Amino acid sequence: MNIADRIQHLRKSKGISQEQLADKIGVSRQAVSKWESEQSIPDIEKIILLSDYFETTTDFLLKGIEPVQELEKKYHATVFAIVGTILNAIGLVSSIVIWIERQMVFAVGVGFVIMLLGTGIFLIGQFLDTKDKRKAKRLFLLPNVWILLFIPLSCCFNILSGILGGGFWGRIAPIPILENLKTFGLYWIVYIGTCIIIDIFIAKRKVKEK
């Protein structure tokens, strides 16, 4: 396997076209075509860009020498995203359970504290891992939109409902308080609609990045 074969193999492994690779490297599609058909060889600057994009070494591109595996385990942002999501879910469930059992405002605080910890762990992963952070970010945001918005929207809904109904105290709760079917149904329409819109926006951004 020569350099032309290695470039073609790496490109196909990544699932991109010659035109897409050309855009990433900053050359024309014809240049990539010539590299893969052995009509020309990329200069050293382009070799470095290719190695960075394909996350391999220049030695592998030029000589076919397989990169040596790192001895130290690398931090993976995906792991931090999963742990953060689990903590956020625990925060939401804990807050709801405490409210159902105690009917006290501190249930909201407990949920927020645990969710703050979960989101903080996710952000640490984004800082430590620069390669997988985009994938981890999407993995975290898609489900956590539903988790993180539930309590704030419930509080806003309950306070607004209380003000309109002539009362306020005791309205800060992690779940929507049922007073009538219309207002209760309105909460779920707003909550589900908002989460779906945000998730669609995140999914569209993923398509554009490809």
Coordinates of all heavy atoms in Angstrom, one line a residue, residues 60-103:
F60 N 2.9 7.3 9.1 CA 1.9 6.4 8.5 C 1.6 6.8 7.1 O 1.5 5.9 6.2 CB 0.7 6.3 9.4 CG -0.4 5.4 8.7 CD1 -0.2 4.0 8.7 CD2 -1.5 5.9 8.1 CE1 -1.2 3.2 8.1 CE2 -2.5 5.1 7.5 CZ -2.3 3.7 7.5
L61 N 1.3 8.1 6.9 CA 1.0 8.5 5.5 C 2.1 8.4 4.6 O 1.9 7.9 3.4 CB 0.5 10.0 5.6 CG -0.9 10.3 6.2 CD1 -1.0 11.8 6.4 CD2 -1.9 9.8 5.2
L62 N 3.3 8.7 5.0 CA 4.5 8.7 4.1 C 5.1 7.3 3.9 O 5.5 6.9 2.8 CB 5.5 9.7 4.6 CG 5.2 11.2 4.6 CD1 6.2 12.0 5.3 CD2 5.1 11.7 3.1
K63 N 5.2 6.6 5.0 CA 5.9 5.3 5.0 C 5.0 4.1 5.3 O 5.5 2.9 5.2 CB 7.1 5.3 6.0 CG 8.0 6.5 5.8 CD 9.1 6.6 6.9 CE 10.0 7.8 6.8 NZ 11.0 7.8 7.9
G64 N 3.8 4.3 5.8 CA 3.0 3.2 6.2 C 3.3 2.6 7.5 O 2.8 1.5 7.9
I65 N 4.1 3.3 8.3 CA 4.4 2.9 9.7 C 3.2 3.1 10.6 O 2.8 4.3 10.8 CB 5.7 3.6 10.2 CG1 6.9 3.3 9.3 CG2 6.0 3.1 11.7 CD1 8.1 4.1 9.7
E66 N 2.7 2.0 11.2 CA 1.5 2.2 12.0 C 1.9 3.0 13.3 O 3.0 2.8 13.9 CB 1.0 0.8 12.5 CG 0.4 0.0 11.3 CD -0.9 0.5 10.9 OE1 -1.5 1.3 11.6 OE2 -1.3 0.1 9.8
P67 N 1.0 3.9 13.7 CA 1.3 4.7 14.9 C 1.3 3.8 16.2 O 0.5 2.8 16.3 CB 0.1 5.7 15.0 CG -1.0 5.0 14.2 CD -0.3 4.3 13.1
V68 N 2.3 4.1 17.1 CA 2.4 3.3 18.3 C 1.2 3.7 19.2 O 1.0 4.9 19.4 CB 3.7 3.6 19.0 CG1 3.8 2.9 20.3 CG2 4.9 3.2 18.1
Q69 N 0.6 2.8 19.8 CA -0.5 3.0 20.7 C 0.0 3.7 22.0 O 1.1 3.4 22.5 CB -1.2 1.7 21.1 CG -1.9 1.0 20.0 CD -3.1 1.8 19.4 OE1 -3.8 2.5 20.2 NE2 -3.3 1.8 18.1
E70 N -0.7 4.7 22.5 CA -0.3 5.4 23.7 C -0.5 4.5 24.9 O -1.4 3.8 25.0 CB -1.2 6.7 23.9 CG -1.0 7.7 22.8 CD -1.9 8.9 23.0 OE1 -2.6 8.9 24.1 OE2 -1.9 9.8 22.2
L71 N 0.5 4.6 25.8 CA 0.5 3.8 27.0 C -0.5 4.3 28.0 O -1.1 3.6 28.7 CB 1.9 3.7 27.6 CG 3.0 3.0 26.7 CD1 4.3 3.1 27.4 CD2 2.6 1.6 26.4
E72 N -0.5 5.6 28.1 CA -1.4 6.2 29.0 C -2.9 6.3 28.5 O -3.1 6.6 27.3 CB -1.0 7.6 29.4 CG 0.4 7.7 30.1 CD 0.8 9.1 30.4 OE1 0.0 10.0 30.2 OE2 1.9 9.2 31.0
K73 N -3.8 6.0 29.3 CA -5.2 6.0 28.9 C -5.7 7.4 28.7 O -5.5 8.3 29.6 CB -6.1 5.3 29.9 CG -7.5 5.1 29.5 CD -8.3 4.3 30.5 CE -9.7 4.0 30.0 NZ -10.5 3.2 30.9
K74 N -6.3 7.7 27.6 CA -6.7 9.1 27.3 C -8.1 9.3 27.9 O -8.9 8.5 28.0 CB -6.8 9.2 25.8 CG -7.2 10.5 25.2 CD -7.2 10.5 23.7 CE -7.8 11.7 23.2 NZ -9.3 11.8 23.5
Y75 N -8.3 10.6 28.3 CA -9.6 11.0 28.8 C -10.5 11.0 27.6 O -10.2 11.5 26.5 CB -9.5 12.4 29.4 CG -8.7 12.4 30.7 CD1 -7.4 13.0 30.8 CD2 -9.2 11.9 31.9 CE1 -6.7 13.0 31.9 CE2 -8.5 11.9 33.0 CZ -7.3 12.5 33.1 OH -6.6 12.5 34.3
H76 N -11.7 10.5 27.8 CA -12.7 10.5 26.8 C -13.9 11.4 27.2 O -14.6 11.1 28.2 CB -13.2 9.1 26.5 CG -12.2 8.3 25.8 ND1 -11.8 8.4 24.4 CD2 -11.4 7.3 26.2 CE1 -10.9 7.6 24.1 NE2 -10.6 6.9 25.2
A77 N -14.2 12.4 26.4 CA -15.3 13.3 26.7 C -16.7 12.6 26.8 O -17.6 12.9 27.5 CB -15.4 14.4 25.7
T78 N -16.8 11.5 26.0 CA -18.0 10.7 26.0 C -18.3 10.1 27.3 O -19.5 10.1 27.8 CB -17.9 9.6 24.9 OG1 -17.6 10.1 23.6 CG2 -19.2 8.8 24.8
V79 N -17.3 9.6 28.0 CA -17.5 9.1 29.4 C -18.0 10.1 30.3 O -19.0 9.9 31.1 CB -16.2 8.4 29.9 CG1 -16.4 8.0 31.3 CG2 -15.7 7.3 29.0
F80 N -17.4 11.3 30.2 CA -17.9 12.4 31.1 C -19.3 12.8 30.8 O -20.1 13.2 31.7 CB -16.9 13.6 30.9 CG -15.6 13.5 31.6 CD1 -14.6 12.8 30.9 CD2 -15.4 14.0 32.8 CE1 -13.3 12.6 31.5 CE2 -14.1 13.9 33.4 CZ -13.1 13.2 32.8
A81 N -19.7 12.8 29.5 CA -21.0 13.1 29.1 C -22.0 12.1 29.6 O -23.1 12.5 30.1 CB -21.1 13.2 27.5
I82 N -21.7 10.8 29.6 CA -22.6 9.8 30.1 C -22.8 9.9 31.6 O -23.9 9.9 32.1 CB -22.1 8.4 29.7 CG1 -22.1 8.2 28.2 CG2 -22.9 7.3 30.4 CD1 -21.5 6.9 27.7
V83 N -21.6 10.1 32.3 CA -21.7 10.3 33.8 C -22.5 11.5 34.1 O -23.3 11.5 35.0 CB -20.3 10.4 34.4 CG1 -20.4 10.7 35.9 CG2 -19.5 9.1 34.2
G84 N -22.3 12.6 33.4 CA -23.0 13.8 33.7 C -24.5 13.7 33.4 O -25.3 14.2 34.2
T85 N -24.9 12.9 32.4 CA -26.3 12.7 32.1 C -26.9 11.8 33.2 O -28.1 12.1 33.6 CB -26.4 11.9 30.8 OG1 -25.9 12.7 29.7 CG2 -27.9 11.6 30.4
I86 N -26.2 10.8 33.7 CA -26.7 10.0 34.8 C -27.0 10.8 36.0 O -28.0 10.7 36.7 CB -25.8 8.8 35.0 CG1 -25.7 7.8 33.9 CG2 -26.2 8.1 36.3 CD1 -24.7 6.8 34.0
L87 N -26.0 11.7 36.4 CA -26.2 12.5 37.5 C -27.3 13.5 37.4 O -28.1 13.7 38.3 CB -24.9 13.3 37.8 CG -23.8 12.6 38.5 CD1 -22.5 13.4 38.6 CD2 -24.2 12.2 39.9
N88 N -27.5 14.0 36.2 CA -28.6 15.0 36.0 C -30.0 14.2 36.1 O -30.9 14.8 36.7 CB -28.5 15.6 34.6 CG -27.4 16.6 34.5 OD1 -26.9 17.1 35.5 ND2 -27.0 17.0 33.3
A89 N -30.0 13.0 35.6 CA -31.2 12.2 35.8 C -31.5 11.9 37.2 O -32.7 12.0 37.7 CB -31.1 10.9 34.9
I90 N -30.5 11.6 38.0 CA -30.6 11.3 39.4 C -31.1 12.6 40.1 O -32.0 12.5 41.0 CB -29.3 10.9 40.0 CG1 -28.9 9.5 39.5 CG2 -29.3 10.9 41.5 CD1 -27.5 9.0 39.9
G91 N -30.6 13.8 39.7 CA -31.0 15.0 40.3 C -32.5 15.3 40.1 O -33.2 15.7 41.0
L92 N -32.9 15.0 38.9 CA -34.4 15.2 38.5 C -35.3 14.3 39.3 O -36.2 14.7 39.9 CB -34.6 15.0 37.0 CG -36.0 15.1 36.5 CD1 -36.6 16.5 36.8 CD2 -36.1 14.8 35.0
V93 N -34.9 13.0 39.3 CA -35.7 12.0 40.1 C -35.7 12.3 41.6 O -36.8 12.3 42.2 CB -35.2 10.6 39.8 CG1 -35.9 9.6 40.7 CG2 -35.4 10.2 38.3
S94 N -34.5 12.6 42.1 CA -34.4 12.9 43.5 C -35.3 14.1 43.9 O -36.0 14.1 44.9 CB -33.0 13.2 43.9 OG -32.1 12.1 43.7
S95 N -35.3 15.1 43.1 CA -36.0 16.3 43.4 C -37.5 16.0 43.4 O -38.3 16.5 44.3 CB -35.7 17.4 42.3 OG -36.5 18.6 42.6
I96 N -38.0 15.2 42.4 CA -39.4 14.9 42.4 C -39.8 14.0 43.5 O -40.9 14.2 44.2 CB -39.7 14.2 41.0 CG1 -39.5 15.1 39.9 CG2 -41.1 13.6 41.0 CD1 -39.6 14.5 38.5
V97 N -39.0 13.0 43.9 CA -39.3 12.1 45.0 C -39.4 12.9 46.3 O -40.3 12.7 47.1 CB -38.2 11.0 45.1 CG1 -38.4 10.2 46.4 CG2 -38.3 10.1 43.9
I98 N -38.4 13.8 46.6 CA -38.4 14.6 47.8 C -39.6 15.5 47.9 O -40.3 15.6 48.9 CB -37.1 15.5 47.9 CG1 -35.9 14.6 48.1 CG2 -37.2 16.5 49.0 CD1 -34.6 15.3 48.0
W99 N -40.0 16.1 46.7 CA -41.2 16.9 46.7 C -42.5 16.1 47.0 O -43.3 16.6 47.8 CB -41.3 17.6 45.4 CG -42.6 18.4 45.2 CD1 -43.8 18.0 44.6 CD2 -43.0 19.6 45.8 NE1 -44.8 18.9 44.7 CE2 -44.3 19.9 45.5 CE3 -42.2 20.6 46.6 CZ2 -44.9 21.1 45.8 CZ3 -42.9 21.7 46.9 CH2 -44.2 22.0 46.6
I100 N -42.6 15.0 46.4 CA -43.8 14.1 46.7 C -43.9 13.7 48.1 O -44.9 13.7 48.7 CB -43.7 12.9 45.7 CG1 -43.9 13.3 44.3 CG2 -44.8 11.9 46.1 CD1 -43.7 12.2 43.3
E101 N -42.7 13.4 48.7 CA -42.7 13.0 50.1 C -42.8 14.1 51.1 O -43.5 14.0 52.2 CB -41.4 12.2 50.4 CG -41.4 10.8 49.7 CD -40.2 10.0 50.1 OE1 -39.3 10.5 50.8 OE2 -40.1 8.8 49.6
R102 N -42.1 15.2 50.9 CA -42.0 16.3 51.9 C -42.8 17.6 51.5 O -43.1 18.4 52.4 CB -40.6 16.7 52.0 CG -39.7 15.6 52.5 CD -39.9 15.2 53.9 NE -39.0 14.2 54.4 CZ -37.8 14.4 54.9 NH1 -37.3 15.7 55.0 NH2 -37.0 13.4 55.3
Q103 N -43.1 17.8 50.2 CA -43.8 19.0 49.7 C -43.0 20.2 50.2 O -43.6 21.2 50.6 CB -45.2 19.0 50.3 CG -46.1 17.9 49.8 CD -46.5 18.0 48.4 OE1 -47.1 19.0 48.0 NE2 -46.2 17.0 47.6

